[in-house]
Amino acid sequence: MIEYIKGELTEVSPTMAVVEAHGVGYAMVISLNTFTEIQSKKEVKLYVHEAIVTGGRDDSYTLYGFADKQERELYRMLITVSGVGSGTARMILSASSPAELVNIIASGDERSLKGVKGIGLKTAQRIIVDLRDKMAAMGIISTGTSGQGAQPAAPAVNKEVRDEAVGALTMLGFSPAPSSKVVTEILKENPEMPVEQVIKQALKMIK
């Protein structure tokens, strides 16, 4: 599994970036947000999502690159929604910044999602319904955000520590959703707790 690719940005367009690392050029599909972040840089670090499609006439292996972990996390959440494929998810992330998208989902702003090409009312509603609770469980938004005009809570936890702890717990056989909920609760109460202590505490709390 590729976590990220760091190297020289040899080619870039609003939809594609090529990063050379150790003599290998990696072509990655990107959003407009990522393009804006990297277009003027010579050296970049892009977080990777790998998409492997098999079983058809033409198997494919595609790399998606993201300027930061939050955008990649949102992309991965979007493609879990029925009716939202990789192209649509990238369109959504090109139309709004990660922070704006979190606000859209937290406030139930169907109109903004419908403004994205290929997104109808039902799909917009499904995205909001499916992802709002997931975001709340992960500490991205507060559980009280509902209705038009609500604002997302400021990040309440250290995302890097949370992600590392949840990843470790998942490797140990625990489901991601309850692990994320427990880890988020621990970090809200103890924001400076190191990841190893978070994992030990979570092991005592996960049911």
Side-chain angles (χ1 to χ4, degrees):
M1 179 182 295
I2 300 174
E3 172 65 11
Y4 62 82
I5 295 174
K6 182 178 181 180
E8 180 185 357
L9 182 64
T10 59
E11 296 179 37
V12 66
S13 74
T15 59
M16 181 73 68
V18 178
V19 178
E20 182 176 337
H22 303 292
V24 179
Y26 297 91
M28 287 171 277
V29 178
I30 61 173
S31 70
L32 284 177
N33 279 309
T34 292
F35 172 73
T36 300
E37 290 291 326
I38 69 173
Q39 61 177 322
S40 61
K41 297 180 180 180
K42 293 183 179 179
E43 298 286 327
V44 297
K45 178 180 180 180
L46 293 182
Y47 293 92
V48 173
H49 173 79
E50 300 173 82
I52 303 173
V53 178
T54 61
R57 293 183 61 185
D58 298 310
D59 294 348
S60 65
Y61 175 59
T62 305
L63 299 179
Y64 292 84
F66 303 92
D68 57 54
K69 285 186 175 181
Q70 185 188 34
E71 187 181 19
R72 181 178 66 177
E73 186 174 36
L74 289 170
Y75 173 85
R76 287 174 169 172
M77 294 175 74
L78 284 166
I79 60 175
T80 66
V81 178
S82 176
V84 178
S86 57
T88 301
R90 186 160 60 98
M91 288 285 288
I92 293 171
L93 289 168
S94 293
S96 305
S97 69
E100 289 169 342
L101 180 57
V102 169
N103 187 47
I104 287 169
I105 292 172
S107 62
D109 186 359
E110 300 169 358
R111 181 178 299 179
S112 292
L113 284 174
K114 281 177 60 184
V116 179
K117 183 179 179 181
I119 299 291
L121 176 60
K122 289 184 177 180
T123 302
Q125 292 173 334
R126 192 179 300 121
I127 290 171
I128 291 168
V129 171
D130 286 4
L131 299 190
R132 183 186 281 159
D133 288 344
K134 290 181 181 179
M135 288 182 172
M138 297 176 72
I140 298 174
I141 62 175
S142 68
T143 54
T145 53
S146 61
Q148 193 70 20
Q151 297 296 319
V157 300
N158 184 319
K159 291 184 178 180
E160 289 190 4
V161 172
R162 184 199 67 201
D163 291 347
E164 187 174 348
V166 172
L169 291 166
T170 302
M171 291 292 290
L172 290 171
F174 295 97
S175 298
S179 298
S180 179
K181 184 176 180 179
V182 168
V183 168
T184 299
E185 290 175 358
I186 293 170
L187 288 172
K188 282 182 177 179
E189 294 182 3
N190 304 280
E192 303 302 321
M193 183 178 284
V195 64
E196 62 272 15
Q197 292 298 322
V198 173
I199 294 170
K200 289 180 180 180
Q201 184 69 19
L203 287 171
K204 299 176 183 178
M205 297 171 61
I206 297 176
K207 297 179 180 180

